[in-house]
Amino acid sequence: MAIARTTVQGMSSIWKSRGLSIDLKVRLLRATVFSIATYGCESWAMTKNDRKRVDAFEMWCYRRLLRVTWKDRRTNSWILDKIGTSLTIRSGIMERKLKYFGHIVRKHGGVEKQILQGAMEGRRGRGRPPTSWTNDVKLVSNQGMQGATHQIE
């Protein structure tokens, strides 16, 4: 996210340009910044805090695009209405995760498939288990791992 934030700041002359429409600026933002921000997102294990950060980053980008500061006291819904869109990064991340999950499930053999099926040997350490990638897949697909696997196959 830090590299994407730097990219947004480096494109400030484009965001300040009054000759470009808001629609064109949004398309530039999605093509350049959002693709940088979501590079490799298929393998992220997102926690609740990570989801909030992704949404906050997207809103920060839209505010920079519209030249709206926090002092202007505009709500997030006002910003999204002005641009004519909704929050898209997080839904794109989840869509890419499901595509990657389908790729792993259809693959014959491999360590990734064994891990997803829980076929690894050994014991887990003490304490609360960390948020895993499979938890995200379960959350997005609204099913367990077996249900999501059968749906893809």
Side-chain angles (χ1 to χ4, degrees):
M1 290 287 180
I3 296 172
R5 185 176 291 265
T6 308
T7 305
V8 170
Q9 292 169 342
M11 296 173 70
S12 63
S13 61
I14 293 173
W15 310 140
K16 291 178 184 177
S17 173
R18 297 195 186 273
L20 300 176
S21 67
I22 292 174
D23 187 41
L24 180 61
K25 290 178 185 180
V26 169
R27 287 181 18 214
L28 281 170
L29 182 75
R30 288 185 180 155
T32 57
V33 177
F34 290 176
S35 61
I36 292 170
T38 59
Y39 180 76
C41 67
E42 297 88 0
S43 63
W44 296 352
M46 292 182 69
T47 61
K48 193 177 205 179
N49 192 25
D50 293 335
R51 289 184 191 96
K52 286 182 180 180
R53 283 187 167 187
V54 167
D55 290 344
F57 171 74
E58 186 170 2
M59 285 307 303
W60 178 81
C61 290
Y62 290 147
R63 286 178 181 274
R64 290 288 298 237
L65 187 134
L66 293 173
R67 294 186 311 267
V68 174
T69 65
W70 295 105
K71 295 176 187 175
D72 295 337
R73 298 182 58 89
R74 300 289 182 192
T75 62
N76 288 346
S77 59
W78 184 87
I79 299 288
L80 293 172
D81 286 342
K82 183 82 172 173
I83 289 179
T85 187
S86 61
L87 295 175
T88 57
I89 292 181
R90 194 165 39 146
S91 61
I93 289 172
M94 295 305 171
E95 183 180 322
R96 288 168 72 175
K97 276 187 182 194
L98 285 177
K99 284 183 181 179
Y100 184 61
F101 175 71
H103 173 72
I104 290 173
V105 168
R106 287 187 297 271
K107 184 178 182 182
H108 297 291
V111 178
E112 300 95 350
K113 192 168 184 177
Q114 286 181 347
I115 292 171
L116 285 179
Q117 293 173 346
M120 299 303 291
E121 295 180 13
R123 292 180 48 135
R124 181 179 69 74
R126 288 179 51 193
R128 179 180 177 187
T131 302
S132 67
W133 184 82
T134 55
N135 291 345
D136 277 348
V137 172
K138 290 176 193 175
L139 181 74
V140 173
S141 67
N142 295 325
Q143 301 177 31
M145 288 304 286
Q146 279 85 14
T149 304
H150 291 299
Q151 183 179 357
I152 289 174
E153 291 176 344

